[in-house]
C-alpha cells in the first residue's frame, strides 16, 4: 500500500484510506444485560449506514441459550436485505448458524476462533482443533453458496484465562483462517490488555503470516489503549479497523473486558491525519447518542461526549477538519 504521505507518531507511513468495520450492533450489543428492542437495533443500523459506514456487523447466529441478546438477528438481516453497497457480516459458529444466516438472507458470515484452548472452550464449547475443523466446514459450505467469509482470531494478544499469548501462535491461526478462504482476518485484543508494544508484536507476526491487505485489527478499550494500539498498527500499513459506535461492547466470555474502540474517536483521529473514511462524524455521533439513550448511559466515546456536552467542541472539530 502506498502511504498517505503523512507519518505517524513513530514516523511510519500511514495508509491513504481506512475501511472501518462497525461491530456495534453485534459485539456492542451482545453483552447487554437487558434485551435491546429490535426497533432500536434497526434504527442504530440505519443511523450507522446514514453516517457512511459500509461494513456493519449486524448480529450473530449463535445459540440463543449462550447469547440471548442476538436472538433476533434473523429479523435484522431480513429487514436490511444486505446489498452490494453495505456489507453486513453476521457471526456464525457452526453449520447450524450458517443455515440460519443463509435462510435469513445474509451474504457475508464471520467465523471466529481463539488462539487459546481455554477461550475456545469457554466461547465455543470446543477445543481449538475441533473448532477449527468445524469452521473449515462452515467456510467451505458458505463459499460453496457464494457467500463471503470473514475471520476473527480472538485472544490474539491476551486471554482472560491463560494470560499473554505468543504472537506467532495467533498469526498461525490467522493463516489457517485465510487458507480456509477468509477474505480478511481480524486480529482481536479480546480483553483489551494490549498496549502498543504488545499490539505491534501481534500485528508484525500477523503480517509475516498473512498478506497485509487481509488483516484487520480489533481492540477492546479496557485500559484506554485501543486508539493508540490502532495507530501503531496503521503505521505498519494495516488499513482495516474494527470499532464500535459509542464504544459499546464486550464479550460475555471475556470477563472484565470493556467495549471496543469507539468509532467516533477513530474517525476523529483519522480525520486529523487526513486519512479518508467517508464517515460523517456528526451523523455518527447522533447514531451513538440514540443507542446510548436506549441503553440509559452516556457514550464511552470521548469525541461523542465532547460534541454532545461542550458547545465549544464543535468549533474545535471545525478547526480540526480544516487543517
Ligand atoms: P453447544 O451447547 O455445544 O451446542 O454450544 P450444541 O451443538 O450441543 O447445541 C445445543 C443447542 O443449541 C441445540 O438446541 C442446537 O440446535 C442449538 P437444542 O437441541 O438444545 O434445542 N444451536 C444453535 N441454535 C442457534 N444457532 C446456532 C446453534 N448452534 C447450536 N448456531 C455453540 C456450541 C457454538 C453453539 C455455542 O458455544 C455458541 O453459540 N457460542 C457462541 C458464543 C458467542 O456468541 N460469543 C460471543 C461472540 S465471539 C466474540 O465476541 C469475540 C469477537 O468479538 C472477537 C474478540 O473480541 O475476540 C468476535
Ligand atoms: Mg470483540
Amino acid at each position: 500500500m502506498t502511504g498517505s504521505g503523512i507519518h505517524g507518531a513513530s514516523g511510519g507511513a500511514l495508509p491513504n484510506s481506512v475501511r472501518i468495520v462497525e461491530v456495534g450492533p453485534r459485539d456492542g450489543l451482545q453483552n447487554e444485560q437487558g434485551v435491546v428492542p429490535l426497533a432500536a437495533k434497526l434504527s442504530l443500523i440505519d443511523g450507522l449506514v446514514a453516517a457512511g459506514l459500509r461494513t456493519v456487523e449486524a448480529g450473530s447466529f449463535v445459540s440463543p441459550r449462550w447469547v440471548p441478546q442476538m436472538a433476533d438477528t434473523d429479523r435484522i438481516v431480513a429487514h436490511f436485505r444486505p446489498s452490494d453497497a453495505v456489507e453486513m457480516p453476521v457471526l456464525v459458529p457452526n453449520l447450524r448458524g450458517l443455515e440460519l444466516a443463509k435462510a435469513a438472507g445474509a451474504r457475508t458470515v464471520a467465523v471466529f476462533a481463539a488462539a487459546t484452548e481455554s477461550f475456545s472452550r469457554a466461547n465455543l464449547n470446543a477445543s481449538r482443533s475441533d473448532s477449527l475443523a468445524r469452521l473449515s466446514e462452515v467456510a467451505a459450505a458458505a463459499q460453496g453458496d457464494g457467500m463471503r467469509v470473514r475471520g476473527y482470531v480472538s485472544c490474539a494478544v491476551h486471554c482472560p484465562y491463560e494470560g499473554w499469548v505468543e504472537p506467532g501462535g495467533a498469526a498461525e491461526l490467522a493463516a489457517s483462517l485465510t487458507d480456509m478462504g477468509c477474505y480478511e482476518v481480524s486480529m482481536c485484543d479480546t480483553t483489551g490488555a494490549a498496549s502498543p508494544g504488545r499490539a505491534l508484536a501481534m500485528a508484525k507476526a500477523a503480517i509475516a503470516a498473512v498478506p497485509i491487505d487481509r488483516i484487520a485489527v480489533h481492540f477492546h478499550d479496557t485500559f484506554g489503549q485501543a486508539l493508540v494500539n490502532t495507530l501503531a498498527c496503521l503505521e505498519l500499513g494495516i488499513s482495516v479497523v474494527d470499532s464500535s459506535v459509542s464504544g459499546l461492547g464486550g464479550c460475555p466470555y471475556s470477563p472484565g473486558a470493556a467495549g471496543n474502540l469507539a468509532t467516533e474517536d477513530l474517525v476523529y483521529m483519522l480525520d486529523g491525519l487526513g486519512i479518508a473514511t467517508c464517515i460523517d462524524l456528526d451523523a455518527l455521533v447522533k447514531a451513538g447518542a440514540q443507542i446510548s439513550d436506549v441503553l440509559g448511559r452516556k457514550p464511552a466515546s470521548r469525541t461523542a461526549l465532547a460534541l454532545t456536552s461542550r458547545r465549544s467542541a464543535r468549533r474545535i472539530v471545525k478547526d480540526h477538519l480544516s487543517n
Side-chain angles (χ1 to χ4, degrees):
M1 154 146 338
T2 44
S4 60
I6 297 178
H7 291 261
S10 66
L14 293 162
N16 289 317
S17 64
V18 163
R19 184 162 61 79
I20 298 177
V21 176
E22 169 62 47
V23 297
R26 195 279 307 170
D27 209 357
L29 298 181
Q30 70 181 8
N31 204 28
E32 285 302 319
Q33 293 305 306
V35 173
V36 179
L38 176 65
K41 294 181 179 178
L42 298 180
S43 119
L44 170 63
I45 295 175
D46 270 333
L48 294 167
V49 172
L53 285 149
R54 290 295 168 262
T55 311
V56 180
E57 198 171 65
S60 57
F61 287 93
V62 298
S63 162
R65 275 199 285 133
W66 284 60
V67 185
Q69 295 86 340
M70 295 285 106
D72 53 6
T73 299
D74 54 341
R75 297 175 69 186
I76 296 173
V77 175
H79 177 88
F80 285 103
R81 298 195 156 274
S83 67
D84 290 338
V86 182
E87 183 152 40
M88 290 195 178
V90 286
L91 223 55
V92 299
N94 52 17
L95 286 171
R96 169 108 182 101
L98 176 65
E99 285 310 313
L100 294 169
K102 204 165 48 172
R107 290 165 60 171
T108 304
V109 291
V111 295
F112 49 114
T116 63
E117 196 62 33
S118 312
F119 195 77
S120 182
R121 289 182 189 276
N123 200 35
L124 288 160
N125 202 23
S127 67
R128 277 201 313 167
S129 60
D130 286 352
S131 76
L132 261 189
R134 204 194 264 171
L135 296 186
S136 167
E137 281 176 10
V138 172
Q143 289 167 95
D145 285 325
M147 299 167 98
R148 275 163 50 88
V149 184
R150 189 168 199 259
Y152 281 105
V153 173
S154 286
C155 304
V157 182
H158 180 261
C159 169
Y161 312 107
E162 295 183 25
W164 296 115
V165 169
E166 203 269 305
E172 216 174 284
L173 181 53
S176 302
L177 291 173
T178 48
D179 288 347
M180 284 177 202
C182 290
Y183 66 90
E184 182 170 287
V185 178
S186 180
M187 304 299 291
C188 306
D189 179 19
T190 308
T191 61
S195 51
R198 299 266 183 190
L200 277 172
M202 175 276 284
K204 283 179 181 167
I207 290 168
V210 171
I212 194 166
D213 58 358
R214 291 171 75 176
I215 300 174
V217 287
H218 176 120
F219 290 104
H220 285 262
D221 202 29
T222 318
F223 295 96
Q225 305 290 299
L227 195 59
V228 72
N229 288 339
T230 300
L231 178 60
C233 294
L234 294 180
E235 287 180 346
L236 294 178
I238 288 173
S239 62
V240 185
V241 180
D242 297 359
S243 62
S244 171
V245 70
S246 287
L248 298 172
C251 171
Y253 301 100
S254 178
N260 296 74
L261 167 63
T263 310
E264 299 92 321
D265 297 350
L266 174 63
V267 169
Y268 184 87
M269 178 182 81
L270 295 173
D271 281 345
L273 289 167
I275 298 177
T277 61
C278 304
I279 308 295
D280 175 338
L281 185 57
D282 276 335
L284 182 62
V285 167
K286 194 170 148 205
Q290 275 173 358
I291 189 68
S292 298
D293 278 350
V294 171
L295 300 175
R297 56 173 182 263
K298 288 187 170 164
S301 156
R302 298 293 292 266
T303 299
L305 284 176
L307 281 170
T308 49
S309 60
R310 290 187 209 139
R311 297 182 74 196
S312 54
R314 205 148 283 287
R315 164 70 202 270
I316 297 174
V317 169
K318 215 168 141 229
D319 292 345
H320 178 69
L321 291 176
S322 70
N323 66 12

